[in-house]
Amino acid sequence: MNFLIIGSGFGIYGYLPAVYKNSKKIFLNIKYKKKIEKRGELIRYLKRVVWYFDIKDINNKIDYVIIAQNPKQQFLITKKILLFLKPKHLFLEKPISYNPNKSLNFVEFLEKNKIKFSVGYLFTYLNWAKYIKKNLTYNQKFEITWGIKFNKKNNLWKSNHKEGGGLVRFYSIHFFRLFHNLNLTKIHKVLVNKKHCKFILKDQKENTIFLDVKYDLINKFYIKHNKNYFLKSSNPFMKSIKINDDPRVSIIQKYIKDIFENFKINYRHEKKFIEFWKKIEMRS
């Protein structure tokens, strides 16, 4: 299998290690070379990397395309790539665009062009998410607190709501997708400001999610089921995220394996999720 990865951030330190074992060749733009060579833990993955200067030069060699760019760029980059490539599957990062309306336009474009795609919402593959799914019986209560240490030095698009970042569009959207998949779509309360978001969602069985996402002094991730904590960690991935040992790589591998083995495109489901996201934002 031949992959094309667009993105010199999470594309390189997340997706490159994740797809390496299942790849024959991994195509990367030559402009990423110096950045990879500066990170010792990534050097071993260069064995299967093919450098290219222009996307036009690789048009019939790619099976899968991974785009890990910021939300304002993903749609434009995808349009450009599809002029030259017809991938079997397109892997996109979340959110796929910088607001719900633009995201809906993006999905409609992909549907019109019959492009199979998925978005990297990774929480579905984590053990605590599976625990919640298993225990959504009747009138169960889950309280989720995610405290994110705010770093002023890293104040880029990821903290800018209008750019597709911030507590709602970059962080909380992980949960929106998970809860939408679990039918927790009855919106009872939304409270949002620049430093703190609170959401209360329910399903038809009166199960309730209390979600609290905020900038904090330390990184923390707690989940309480009814009155008891069953998880206390520094982040949702339950391991510290270090340069040489990023726990998200193994989760991406589960995600890609699931796509290869079980995926069926459902444009209607994608559009319904975006409408759910839009409803939440309209309540804030």
Side-chain angles (χ1 to χ4, degrees):
M1 291 184 284
N2 293 338
F3 291 84
L4 167 65
I5 299 177
I6 306 289
S8 60
F10 197 50
I12 284 175
Y13 61 79
Y15 280 94
L16 175 60
V19 303
Y20 183 78
K21 287 184 179 179
N22 292 317
S23 66
K24 184 178 179 183
K25 295 178 181 177
I26 303 170
F27 288 78
L28 297 176
N29 193 293
I30 191 69
K31 66 185 179 182
Y32 302 162
K33 189 174 183 181
K34 286 185 179 179
K35 190 169 185 179
I36 292 175
E37 288 175 344
K38 287 179 181 178
R39 295 186 62 157
E41 80 279 9
L42 297 177
I43 297 293
R44 55 184 166 149
Y45 302 115
L46 294 181
K47 293 176 184 177
R48 295 180 189 172
V49 167
V50 177
W51 302 108
Y52 72 89
F53 291 89
D54 195 314
I55 199 81
K56 298 175 186 176
D57 301 331
I58 57 172
N59 58 353
N60 28 354
K61 302 173 184 175
I62 301 298
D63 299 304
Y64 302 97
V65 173
I66 296 166
I67 301 178
Q69 291 279 16
N70 75 57
K72 273 209 165 181
Q73 292 179 318
Q74 282 202 123
F75 196 176
L76 296 173
I77 290 170
T78 300
K79 282 183 173 180
K80 182 178 178 181
I81 286 172
L82 294 179
L83 292 174
F84 306 103
L85 304 176
K86 187 72 174 177
K88 295 176 182 177
H89 192 94
L90 180 65
F91 293 90
L92 297 168
E93 264 304 291
K94 56 83 201 162
I96 63 170
S97 195
Y98 58 94
N99 66 43
N101 289 334
K102 292 293 183 182
S103 297
L104 189 59
N105 292 342
F106 196 174
V107 172
E108 289 170 345
F109 167 81
L110 294 169
E111 182 178 19
K112 182 180 178 181
N113 288 276
K114 298 179 180 178
I115 302 298
K116 294 179 180 179
F117 77 98
S118 58
V119 187
Y121 294 106
L122 302 180
F123 283 8
T124 302
Y125 302 94
L126 298 174
N127 289 334
W128 59 260
K130 294 175 183 177
Y131 175 90
I132 290 174
K133 181 179 179 180
K134 183 180 177 182
N135 287 279
L136 287 173
T137 51
Y138 178 77
N139 198 27
Q140 299 297 301
K141 291 179 174 61
F142 292 90
E143 295 179 33
I144 302 174
T145 301
W146 189 8
I148 300 146
K149 187 177 180 181
F150 186 73
N151 185 352
K152 290 182 179 179
K153 294 180 181 179
N154 194 28
N155 190 16
L156 304 174
W157 71 265
K158 290 182 181 179
S159 60
N160 189 329
H161 181 77
K162 291 182 179 179
E163 298 283 326
L167 290 175
V168 175
R169 293 178 175 174
F170 185 71
Y171 293 103
S172 299
I173 199 167
H174 270 298
F175 293 103
F176 299 165
R177 183 54 182 250
L178 175 64
F179 300 152
H180 182 261
N181 289 349
L182 297 176
N183 296 314
L184 287 150
T185 54
K186 293 167 66 177
I187 304 165
H188 279 250
K189 186 177 181 179
V190 177
L191 223 109
V192 173
N193 60 45
K194 290 183 179 180
K195 295 183 178 180
H196 206 150
C197 316
K198 288 187 176 183
F199 310 92
I200 300 176
L201 304 171
K202 290 190 176 187
D203 65 8
Q204 298 296 330
K205 300 176 184 177
E206 293 303 311
N207 295 303
T208 306
I209 294 281
F210 300 87
L211 175 63
D212 187 358
V213 181
K214 58 188 175 181
Y215 291 123
D216 213 331
L217 296 176
I218 59 169
N219 291 315
K220 62 183 180 184
F221 186 73
Y222 299 164
I223 303 180
K224 185 187 287 187
H225 180 194
N226 295 327
K227 295 182 179 181
N228 301 312
Y229 285 102
F230 77 88
L231 176 63
K232 286 188 176 184
S233 180
S234 61
N235 65 73
F237 297 93
M238 295 176 287
K239 293 180 181 177
S240 77
I241 297 174
K242 301 175 184 177
I243 290 178
N244 297 325
D245 182 26
D246 194 321
R248 292 171 293 186
V249 171
S250 62
I251 307 302
I252 296 170
Q253 288 171 334
K254 290 180 183 179
Y255 157 55
I256 291 175
K257 184 174 184 288
D258 184 40
I259 296 300
F260 287 160
E261 294 178 357
N262 304 307
F263 183 79
K264 290 183 181 179
I265 189 66
N266 188 335
Y267 299 105
R268 184 169 175 268
H269 183 73
E270 294 295 333
K271 288 186 277 190
K272 284 185 104 176
F273 163 66
I274 293 169
E275 289 296 335
F276 174 60
W277 166 22
K278 185 176 180 178
K279 283 180 183 177
I280 291 175
E281 289 211 0
M282 288 174 68
R283 291 280 297 270
S284 64

